[in-house]
Amino acid sequence: MKLKFRKIAYQLHLWLGLTSGLIVVIIAVTGCILAFEKELKHTFYHEKYFVTSIKKQKLPLSNLKMKAELALPDGLKVNRVEIAADYSRSYVFRSLKMDNGALTYWGSYIYYYRVYVDPYTGKVLELENTKQDFFEIVMDLHRRLLLGEKIGKAITGYVTLIFAIILCSGLVIWYPRKMNKNMLKGMFFIKTSANWKRINYDVHNVLGFYAAIPLLLISYSAVIWNFEDIDQWVKKTLNGNTPTEQKAKSVIPSGELSASKHILDMIGRKVEQRLQNKESALISFPRTEEGTYYAEVTYGDKQYQNEQYNFDQYSGKIIKYQFYKDKNIGYGTALRERNYDLHTGSIFGTTGRFIYLFAGIIAASLPITGCIIWWNKKKKSKTPKKKKK
């Protein structure tokens, strides 16, 4: 029975690996590039992320929003703003509209701009056509293979699911049928003194084992993003009897409206006050009459460690608040909030990000070393045996 299970695991590992290998390499390589995206952007694009001088007071948020929108082409409006706690950082306004039915990267983004604004002077540091940004193209290649939300996301989703099966079947194959001292050593160490075929086998076998756990965590978090049904099932199962979250809505007033400019400035001041000794914040602007200003204040490098606010767009009052340590949100919701950090490794701090980076490099190598193993075995089976005289 054990031998039959092992053979099934081997066949799954082999054929699923051969069919999905190329896409796994693309996803893994792009993931490695994005592992330290923020740090790379701040290094290479320093002039737009940082201001030249820090003044005593920042301009009102409504003023900065107006400056950003004047810089945009065709009278476009901004959707949200990113604010760093670091006083030397610029404000980053985003204007984005997507077509989820498009079949290519270029068709997916109807428009996508980022406007970098000095918060002290209102000067536009750069208008970025984000569709042409290197890191955005890499991100889309990682998420959708440049094939759009409908097709590309489905392909990467199923390949990630297949990759998780490959990892599990690989662990079954990795464990030897008979355990002895030599087998035990071969499970955890690469025999560098052997021929290149044996070294290639060990690289695949040993490194695959060491990377298995982080790669399974990466795969799980990617599956959650790609399959809404699985996402909802996990959330509902873990939440149990926890009440369903209610969507926050603004109350449309029957009387005279307050100036939206005044409301935005008030919200901007509240968020700035909450930013003290924290990392960053983002404010998303309402898109409908019942929509709210959604603000997220992040404490540090772990994105899930945050405070979330929904402000009424007509009064500026807080109508919903959520703190990451709240126990009444349910285990499923709490796990979902941690999904990004689980995917990037930041849930384990900077060390986790480096571990994930090395795991990503190993993931990119596995289809290549695996294919070489299969090819060598194929050639060996085709080589005719010499007849004894």
Side-chain angles (χ1 to χ4, degrees):
M1 186 68 181
K2 286 182 180 179
L3 189 61
K4 189 177 180 181
F5 180 68
R6 189 182 178 86
K7 283 182 178 179
I8 292 168
Y10 175 79
Q11 291 300 320
L12 278 172
H13 192 79
L14 173 62
W15 296 109
L16 290 179
L18 288 173
T19 52
S20 65
L22 178 60
I23 297 172
V24 169
V25 170
I26 293 169
I27 294 172
V29 169
T30 51
C32 290
I33 294 170
L34 295 168
F36 289 89
E37 178 189 3
K38 184 176 76 172
E39 289 80 2
L40 290 171
K41 279 185 172 182
H42 290 178
T43 300
F44 292 113
Y45 307 144
H46 188 274
E47 66 286 348
K48 64 185 178 185
Y49 279 102
F50 294 88
V51 300
T52 52
S53 62
I54 301 170
K55 302 185 186 301
K56 286 185 179 180
Q57 197 169 356
K58 294 179 179 180
L59 294 174
L61 184 54
S62 62
N63 193 319
L64 297 171
K65 179 175 178 278
M66 180 189 69
K67 298 278 188 184
E69 289 181 339
L70 286 172
L72 289 168
D74 306 320
L76 297 176
K77 301 295 180 183
V78 296
N79 309 122
R80 81 177 193 187
V81 60
E82 296 170 33
I83 306 169
D86 183 349
Y87 291 114
S88 66
R89 289 277 304 279
S90 62
Y91 278 28
V92 185
F93 290 87
R94 188 181 79 174
S95 181
L96 167 67
K97 188 175 181 181
M98 293 190 71
D99 176 8
N100 290 331
L103 302 180
T104 66
Y105 167 75
W106 302 106
S108 295
Y109 293 94
I110 297 170
Y111 57 82
Y112 191 3
Y113 292 97
R114 287 196 184 107
V115 188
Y116 300 82
V117 181
D118 185 325
Y120 303 100
T121 65
K123 180 185 176 183
V124 174
L125 301 176
E126 186 169 324
L127 170 63
E128 171 192 278
N129 186 351
T130 311
K131 281 171 69 171
Q132 298 173 0
D133 177 65
F134 169 76
F135 287 102
E136 197 60 39
I137 293 170
V138 171
M139 177 68 80
D140 201 87
L141 187 59
H142 182 71
R143 288 178 174 175
R144 309 180 190 94
L145 302 174
L146 305 180
L147 297 175
E149 187 80 2
K150 199 173 182 180
I151 295 176
K153 186 181 176 182
I155 294 172
T156 55
Y158 282 110
V159 166
T160 306
L161 199 57
I162 287 168
F163 186 58
I165 296 169
I166 292 169
L167 288 169
C168 293
S169 60
L171 288 172
V172 173
I173 300 165
W174 168 83
Y175 193 83
R177 279 172 286 188
K178 292 181 180 179
M179 186 66 74
N180 55 49
K181 191 178 179 180
N182 289 332
M183 283 290 188
L184 192 64
K185 193 176 178 181
M187 289 167 71
F188 300 103
F189 300 99
I190 297 169
K191 191 176 180 181
T192 54
S193 60
N195 61 43
W196 74 269
K197 289 181 181 180
R198 174 58 193 268
I199 291 171
N200 179 77
Y201 176 82
D202 283 353
V203 165
H204 186 85
N205 201 42
V206 176
L207 296 187
F209 165 74
Y210 285 124
I213 291 175
L215 291 177
L216 281 169
L217 292 175
I218 291 169
S219 300
Y220 162 78
S221 53
V223 165
I224 290 298
W225 272 328
N226 282 287
F227 298 100
E228 192 175 344
D229 291 342
I230 297 175
D231 181 16
Q232 291 301 317
W233 178 80
V234 171
K235 191 189 288 186
K236 286 178 181 177
T237 302
L238 294 178
N239 276 347
N241 296 322
T242 304
T244 308
E245 306 161 63
Q246 298 297 316
K247 187 178 180 181
K249 293 181 181 180
S250 293
V251 179
I252 304 170
S254 55
E256 192 176 332
L257 300 178
S258 300
S260 59
K261 185 177 173 181
H262 166 71
I263 299 296
L264 180 56
D265 290 340
M266 183 172 68
I267 292 168
R269 286 193 297 271
K270 285 182 180 179
V271 172
E272 284 278 2
Q273 288 168 4
R274 296 302 305 162
L275 256 178
Q276 296 296 323
N277 303 316
K278 309 236 177 20
E279 179 72 17
S280 62
L282 65 83
I283 302 173
S284 295
F285 305 124
R287 301 187 185 188
T288 64
E289 287 186 341
E290 290 187 334
T292 64
Y293 285 100
Y294 170 76
E296 193 173 284
V297 180
T298 305
Y299 281 48
D301 290 334
K302 297 175 184 178
Q303 197 180 75
Y304 79 89
Q305 294 179 340
N306 61 40
E307 297 174 347
Q308 298 173 26
Y309 299 85
N310 288 91
F311 296 93
D312 188 295
Q313 65 169 297
Y314 303 105
S315 67
K317 291 179 181 177
I318 298 171
I319 53 178
K320 188 178 178 183
Y321 169 77
Q322 182 177 302
F323 181 48
Y324 79 96
K325 286 186 178 179
D326 287 346
K327 293 180 180 179
N328 61 346
I329 61 173
Y331 294 114
T333 303
L335 180 61
R336 184 63 178 83
E337 292 287 333
R338 287 158 174 74
N339 204 61
Y340 174 83
D341 297 290
L342 191 63
H343 189 73
T344 60
S346 56
I347 198 166
F348 306 112
T350 304
T351 303
R353 293 172 70 193
F354 274 109
I355 290 170
Y356 272 36
L357 173 62
F358 294 129
I361 293 168
I362 292 168
S365 74
L366 290 175
I368 298 167
T369 53
C371 195
I372 292 170
I373 292 168
W374 168 74
W375 186 253
N376 286 332
K377 283 186 176 181
K378 192 179 178 183
K379 280 198 332 185
K380 190 177 178 181
S381 64
K382 284 185 177 180
T383 305
K385 293 180 181 179
K386 291 182 180 179
K387 294 180 180 179
K388 292 181 181 180
K389 291 182 180 179

